[in-house]
């Protein structure tokens, strides 16, 4: 290094030049994503020792430093990961919220229209026009269920596609990080100086990666990064990448899941470990909201079909057909089911042992309640597994379990805590096998109206199947109610027609073998037609189903009869104007038909709309709060690393003046040197 006035001036000139160059570089990259402001670090050259003291020898630039904080950078990465997850979640759940809450295309108007038409049939059961309107509204309702179910199914396909695209982007990103991990150590080793722009580029790639999935990094001794996700799954180790992959879920092949490639094949990563970024948002949305909405909508559709069909089976159509009239084989034309619904879906795990049997499930017939029916269906999926001790059914929403040595025992245990479905007990499951049960996932989009009823509106079972009457020659004032039927009524009144006779405070002439209960008391088994049952005005008289000992047909007698008065119970032949069963069908709209007799169809749907709306609002509020945190973290980083054009303009002037002063010093040194030469000449 030169000494004296020329050497010192040259060092000053070079330092000012480097300062100008660095400032211009900052200005040029003011809008470059991830760029960190740079500055030159200067130090004094060693002074020259003389007898008169130490004389300075100028300056030199030690390095170009980037204004960077690992702590602030990590804050931005964490905030960005959370923000991207919430943004991704919000974009998806908004679609469900708009679908369910739409006042015109939602489910509520279609439900209301259908049950209004059922009431019209109850008021005008003999008019085919009313029946045809009811069928048209039933088709509108089923189409609405199908349309909403199809849109939710399309969202599953959309999520699958986005998961694949996101994983592709993640793999591309980590390959670039690995490439920079190769270049940075080489560049720094060659000069011994930090490769600032390459380091900025790599940090920006890590930030972009956190937009896709939550990732964290560690730094190796050579300056390269290791990148991890989840609970320690490594994506980058120096210059080596471990790519992610998408695959069909073994438990549900229609579902794309994320795994990691290895020499032994792709291995699925549990979704609970994949959080943050748009990928975490997609996975969380699918498991928390999309599954819930699909199952709830299907539960609503299945409950409607099952309860409506159960009540419809207790009626009589316009042709006079019912469970008790006419007798077989004409009974085969009795068509009580208005709706057709698909059974619960059972999916065998693709990793099941060879030879594993097929398992099927069916809906439980809705139990009666308060004159109507209800279902115990929930909104959860279930996992059926087999081991050496037997079989276990797990409700996935809360991990509650039922066990048994085989499927038959499992069904028995389920009966005390019903879930709305039962399993075919015949297969013997192999140890290690597993099945996913989705009771209601496809129920909405596969709900249809019975084509036989569509073709013939007279098959709607609007009438009651049994008629009661008082004897034409009765002299007393007693009246008999129309009565009501329940499941099993056909066997309960197998002795029809019957004519009960009042005599001396008792009723007699019951069919032999009938089981008769008064106000729910222990039944009287009729052994002979002369057996009597005490008469009480206003009491409910029930004929019990001998198979279940539950009421099959009930009626009341009120008033004061005279001896010899008769009361007839017979098939309801020629009942063109009878709308008793249609009236009960219409009451299903407001009855507690769902959730184990705790909510109606519209209440359950309104709860789904409310839950989805609340979740949407929660995600939006959380997203706004997280965006504020991200902005704050970015501002904190920018206060250190960002380029301030005003500050850089001041630096330009500073370095310009330094450059001019150094040049002036060189000019003076040159002039002095020329003077010395002239003196020597």
């Amino acid at each position: 290094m030169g000494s004296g006035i020329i050497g010192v001036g040259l060092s000053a000139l070079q330092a000012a030049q480097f300062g100008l160059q660095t400032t211009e570089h900052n200005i040029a990259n003011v809008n470059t994503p991830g760029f960190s402001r740079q500055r030159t670090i200067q130090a004094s050259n060693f002074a020259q020792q003389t007898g008169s003291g130490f004389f300075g020898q100028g300056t030199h630039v030690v390095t170009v430093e980037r204004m960077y904080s690992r702590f602030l950078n990590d804050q931005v990465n964490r905030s960005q990961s959370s923000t991207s997850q919430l943004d991704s979640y919000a974009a998806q759940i908004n679609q469900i919220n708009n679908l369910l809450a739409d006042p015109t295309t939602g489910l509520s108007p279609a439900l209301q229209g259908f049950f209004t038409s059922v009431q019209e049939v109850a008021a005008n059961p003999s008019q085919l026009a009313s029946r045809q309107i009811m069928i048209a509204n039933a088709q509108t309702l089923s189409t609405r269920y199908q349309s909403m179910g199809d849109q939710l199914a399309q969202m599953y396909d959309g999520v699958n596609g986005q998961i694949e695209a996101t994983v592709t982007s993640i793999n591309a990103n980590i390959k670039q990080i690995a490439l920079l991990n190769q270049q940075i150590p080489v560049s720094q080793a060659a000069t011994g100086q930090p490769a600032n722009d390459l380091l900025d580029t790599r940090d920006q790639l890590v930030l972009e990666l956190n937009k896709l999935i939550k990732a964290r990094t560690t730094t190796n001794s050579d300056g390269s990064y290791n990148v991890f996700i989840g609970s320690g799954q490594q994506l980058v180790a120096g210059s080596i990448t471990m790519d992610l992959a998408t695959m069909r879920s073994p438990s549900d092949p229609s579902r794309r899941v994320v795994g990691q490639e290895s020499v032994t094949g792709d291995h699925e990563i549990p979704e609970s470990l994949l959080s943050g970024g748009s990928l975490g948002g997609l996975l969380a949305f699918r498991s928390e909201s999309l599954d819930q909405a699909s199952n709830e909508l299907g539960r609503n559709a299945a409950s409607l079909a099952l309860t409506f069909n159960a009540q419809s089976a207790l009626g009589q159509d316009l042709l006079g057909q019912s469970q008790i009239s006419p007798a077989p084989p004409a009974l085969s034309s009795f068509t009580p089911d208005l709706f057709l619904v698909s059974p619960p879906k059972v999916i065998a795990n693709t990793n099941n042992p060879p030879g594993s049997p097929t398992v099927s499930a069916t809906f439980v017939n809705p139990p009666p309640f308060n004159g109507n029916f209800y279902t115990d269906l929930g909104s959860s999926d279930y996992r059926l597994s087999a081991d050496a001790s037997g079989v276990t059914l797990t409700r996935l929403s809360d991990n509650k379990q039922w066990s048994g040595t085989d499927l038959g025992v499992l069904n028995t245990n389920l009966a005390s805590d019903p879930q709305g479905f039962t399993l075919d007990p015949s297969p013997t499951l192999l140890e290690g096998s597993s099945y996913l049960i989705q009771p209601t996932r496809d129920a909405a989009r596969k709900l249809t109206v019975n084509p036989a009823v569509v073709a013939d509106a007279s098959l709607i079972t609007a009438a009651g199947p049994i008629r009661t009457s008082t004897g034409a020659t009765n002299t007393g004032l007693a009246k008999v109610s129309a009565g009501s039927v329940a499941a099993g009524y056909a066997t309960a009144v197998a002795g029809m027609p019957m004519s009960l006779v009042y005599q001396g405070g008792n009723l007699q002439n019951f069919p032999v073998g009938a089981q008769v209960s008064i106000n729910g008391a222990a039944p009287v088994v009729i052994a002979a037609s002369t057996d009597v049952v005490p008469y009480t005005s206003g009491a409910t008289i029930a004929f019990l189903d001998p198979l279940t000992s539950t009421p099959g047909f009930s009626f009341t007698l009120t008033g004061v009869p005279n001896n010899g008065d008769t009361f007839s119970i017979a098939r309801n032949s020629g009942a063109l104007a009878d709308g008793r069963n249609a009236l009960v069908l219409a009451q299903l709209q407001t009855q507690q038909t769902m959730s184990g007799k705790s909510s109606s169809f519209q209440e359950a749907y309104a709860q789904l709309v409310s839950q989805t709306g609340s979740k949407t609002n929660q995600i939006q509020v959380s997203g706004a709060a997280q965006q504020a945190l991200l902005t704050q973290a970015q501002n904190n980083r920018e206060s250190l690393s960002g380029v301030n054009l005003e500050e850089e303009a001041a630096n330009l002037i500073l370095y310009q003046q330094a450059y001019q002063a150094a040049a002036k010093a060189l000019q003076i040194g040159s002039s002095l040197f020329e003077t010395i030469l002239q003196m020597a000449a």
Side-chain angles (χ1 to χ4, degrees), residues 63-123:
T63 188
V64 179
E65 179 187 46
R66 64 174 183 146
M67 306 304 293
Y68 169 81
S69 166
R70 176 66 180 267
F71 173 74
L72 295 178
N73 223 47
D74 286 346
Q75 271 193 330
V76 173
N77 288 340
R78 289 193 298 269
S79 297
Q80 181 64 69
S81 176
S82 298
T83 300
S84 295
Q85 175 171 349
L86 292 168
D87 288 346
S88 175
Y89 200 131
Q92 298 296 325
I93 198 173
N94 271 328
Q95 299 179 55
I96 297 182
N97 190 42
N98 294 336
L99 171 67
L100 298 178
D102 192 297
T104 56
T105 62
L107 189 61
S108 294
L111 275 170
Q112 183 61 50
F114 170 66
F115 279 106
T116 298
S117 65
V118 177
Q119 294 170 2
E120 288 296 323
V121 172

Side-chain angles (χ1 to χ4, degrees), residues 288-343:
E288 294 175 5
S289 297
L290 184 54
D291 287 348
Q292 177 77 5
S294 298
N295 289 346
E296 278 289 350
L297 185 65
R299 183 171 76 106
N300 200 289
S303 296
L304 171 71
L306 293 170
T307 55
F308 198 93
N309 290 346
Q311 184 60 51
S312 183
L314 302 182
Q316 179 174 289
D317 62 28
L318 201 58
L319 303 177
Q321 300 180 114
S322 68
Q323 292 185 35
I324 59 174
S325 178
L331 181 62
S332 61
S333 63
F334 179 53
T335 311
D337 290 348
L338 177 64
F339 295 104
L340 302 179
V341 63
S342 61

Side-chain angles (χ1 to χ4, degrees), residues 243-540:
D243 289 356
L244 297 181
T246 59
M247 64 192 76
R248 295 184 183 276
S249 170
S251 61
D252 183 1
S254 67
R255 204 177 185 97
R256 303 298 292 185
V257 295
V258 179
Q260 193 163 31
E261 298 177 0
S262 70
V263 294
T264 59
D266 297 344
H267 299 282
E268 182 180 352
I269 301 175
E271 289 188 2
S272 60
L273 301 180
L274 299 171
S275 62
S278 57
L279 181 61
L282 289 169
L283 296 175
F285 160 74
R286 184 173 65 180
S287 61
E288 294 175 5
S289 297
L290 184 54
D291 287 348
Q292 177 77 5
S294 298
N295 289 346
E296 278 289 350
L297 185 65
R299 183 171 76 106
N300 200 289
S303 296
L304 171 71
L306 293 170
T307 55
F308 198 93
N309 290 346
Q311 184 60 51
S312 183
L314 302 182
Q316 179 174 289
D317 62 28
L318 201 58
L319 303 177
Q321 300 180 114
S322 68
Q323 292 185 35
I324 59 174
S325 178
L331 181 62
S332 61
S333 63
F334 179 53
T335 311
D337 290 348
L338 177 64
F339 295 104
L340 302 179
V341 63
S342 61
K345 182 193 292 186
V346 182
I347 306 170
N349 194 295
T350 57
N351 295 327
N352 278 356
S356 293
T358 299
V359 176
S360 62
T362 56
F363 289 118
V364 173
N365 291 328
F369 170 67
N370 198 24
N372 284 115
F373 296 90
Y374 71 93
T375 69
D376 291 300
L377 290 169
S379 59
S380 177
D381 293 339
Y382 299 77
R383 182 176 62 251
L384 176 66
S385 56
D387 55 24
S389 61
V391 294
T392 300
L393 182 70
T394 303
R395 187 166 60 197
L396 299 182
S397 60
D398 58 4
N399 289 323
K400 182 173 182 178
Q401 293 185 334
W402 299 264
S403 300
T405 54
D406 55 34
L407 293 179
V409 176
L410 178 61
N411 283 335
T412 301
N413 294 336
L414 272 177
S416 60
D417 187 12
Q419 300 299 299
F421 67 92
T422 185
L423 299 167
D424 178 7
S426 57
T428 299
L429 303 190
L430 300 183
E431 184 178 345
S433 60
S434 175
Y435 300 81
L436 177 67
I437 302 173
Q438 297 175 333
T440 63
R441 179 66 56 86
D442 289 337
R445 66 191 188 98
K446 292 186 177 179
L447 180 70
T448 59
V449 179
N450 193 329
V453 180
V454 173
D456 187 357
S458 63
L459 296 180
I460 294 175
T461 57
I466 296 177
R467 172 187 299 172
T468 62
S469 62
T470 56
T473 60
N474 285 5
T475 59
L477 300 178
K479 302 295 182 183
V480 61
S481 69
S484 61
V485 297
Y489 79 90
T491 54
V493 294
M496 287 196 309
M498 64 184 77
S499 181
L500 307 182
V501 179
Y502 175 81
Q503 194 69 39
N506 296 310
L507 292 173
Q508 59 186 32
N509 204 33
F510 288 92
V512 175
Q515 297 184 21
V516 183
S517 173
I518 306 298
N519 286 335
V524 176
V525 180
I526 305 301
S529 60
T530 56
D531 288 353
V532 298
V533 173
Y535 172 78
T536 302
S537 178
T540 298

Side-chain angles (χ1 to χ4, degrees), residues 212-234:
L212 303 174
I213 189 171
K214 184 178 180 180
R216 61 186 187 278
T217 62
T218 61
T219 305
N220 296 317
S221 58
D222 63 354
S224 62
Y225 274 176
N226 298 321
V227 181
F228 302 90
I229 61 171
S231 61
Q233 287 72 25
Q234 195 162 12

